[in-house]
Amino acid sequence: MSRKPRVGLDQLWQAFDAARFGADRTLNLRATLPTADEAARRAEIWLRQKQVERAPEVLVVTGRGNNSEAGFSVVREAVIRTLHDLRRRNVVKEWEEHTAGSFVVRPASMASLVDAPRREKAAPPKPASPPSLDALDDSTRRLLRDLAERVLEGLGVHTKEPFLEGEMLRQFGRLGRAVPPHLDGAAREGYLRDAIRRTLDEYE
């Protein structure tokens, strides 16, 4: 007799979660049974995308691992480690346990990502063979330059020109990690431009 109300209660909570988050803001890792490494990779890519989309909060479902060989959810443990790492890197603002097998995550703002604290006083040393942004469209490079200038202004750099290229590369590397891996060519660059514009909007 005790199981029927329990099933009904679980379904009720699922209905509330579906109304609160919807399919677009829910990552259900429990449904696909990934390995711990796969779960961590998928969670990071997905959360970076949700940061770009400026989602206020998202739901990550890991499962409890009751039926796993380890006796606990290795996926859940991998996601917890990923959340700690992404919070340190200003991708995640905060997160909390929602149920024994899920987490509510609040992505950080795009501005906090590009304004991640730096330890160095001067510009970071350039690599021996620095990458080039020449392959990008002119419009993308202009947006990156605008963003780099905003960031340098926020750091109190008055003579920005010597540091612009390095800052553009840094922001390209940061924002590029949020681009969905299945995109390529024009679609990939279009997503990157949207990410830059959204970040610039937060500086207005």
Side-chain angles (χ1 to χ4, degrees):
M1 294 179 63
S2 61
R3 291 191 61 82
K4 287 186 178 180
R6 179 64 184 174
V7 171
L9 185 59
D10 286 344
Q11 291 173 342
L12 181 62
W13 281 118
Q14 290 172 10
F16 275 120
D17 287 344
R20 177 179 174 184
F21 300 100
D24 289 343
R25 291 193 286 124
T26 301
L27 176 63
N28 191 343
L29 296 170
R30 179 180 58 192
T32 54
L33 301 176
T35 65
D37 288 343
E38 290 169 348
R41 180 176 177 274
R42 285 182 56 193
E44 177 171 352
I45 292 172
W46 188 78
L47 287 168
R48 286 184 179 278
Q49 292 174 21
K50 294 303 147 184
Q51 181 186 32
V52 169
E53 294 168 11
R54 292 185 285 193
E57 60 178 7
V58 297
L59 182 68
V60 179
V61 181
T62 62
R64 305 177 187 180
N66 293 340
N67 298 321
S68 68
E69 294 181 4
F72 62 91
S73 174
V74 293
V75 167
R76 182 178 184 277
E77 296 301 311
V79 167
I80 289 175
R81 290 193 296 271
T82 300
L83 290 172
H84 279 296
D85 183 51
L86 293 180
R87 182 165 57 183
R88 181 179 58 82
R89 292 153 65 184
N90 286 356
V91 175
V92 166
K93 179 180 180 182
E94 57 188 2
W95 56 274
E96 61 189 19
E97 189 175 72
H98 182 56
T99 68
S102 65
F103 300 92
V104 173
V105 183
R106 295 173 184 85
S109 68
M110 293 297 293
S112 68
L113 174 66
V114 300
D115 286 339
R118 300 188 189 186
R119 299 300 179 196
E120 65 271 14
K121 298 293 184 181
K126 293 183 178 181
S129 299
S132 173
L133 300 176
D134 290 343
L136 297 175
D137 288 346
D138 289 344
S139 60
T140 308
R141 286 200 301 273
R142 283 195 297 270
L143 284 169
L144 266 177
R145 184 183 178 92
D146 289 346
L147 178 57
E149 288 179 342
R150 297 286 184 89
V151 173
L152 290 170
E153 287 172 4
L155 292 171
V157 177
H158 300 294
T159 306
K160 297 186 285 291
E161 195 61 37
F163 309 109
L164 269 175
E165 183 181 358
E167 189 60 36
M168 287 171 68
L169 286 167
R170 192 175 83 96
Q171 299 306 333
F172 173 76
R174 285 179 176 272
L175 298 178
R177 287 195 290 268
V179 178
H182 66 275
L183 297 180
D184 56 16
R188 186 174 183 85
E189 190 161 345
Y191 193 100
L192 175 64
R193 281 196 296 270
D194 287 342
I196 299 170
R197 290 190 187 101
R198 286 172 176 153
T199 307
L200 284 167
D201 287 344
E202 294 186 9
Y203 279 91
E204 296 296 338

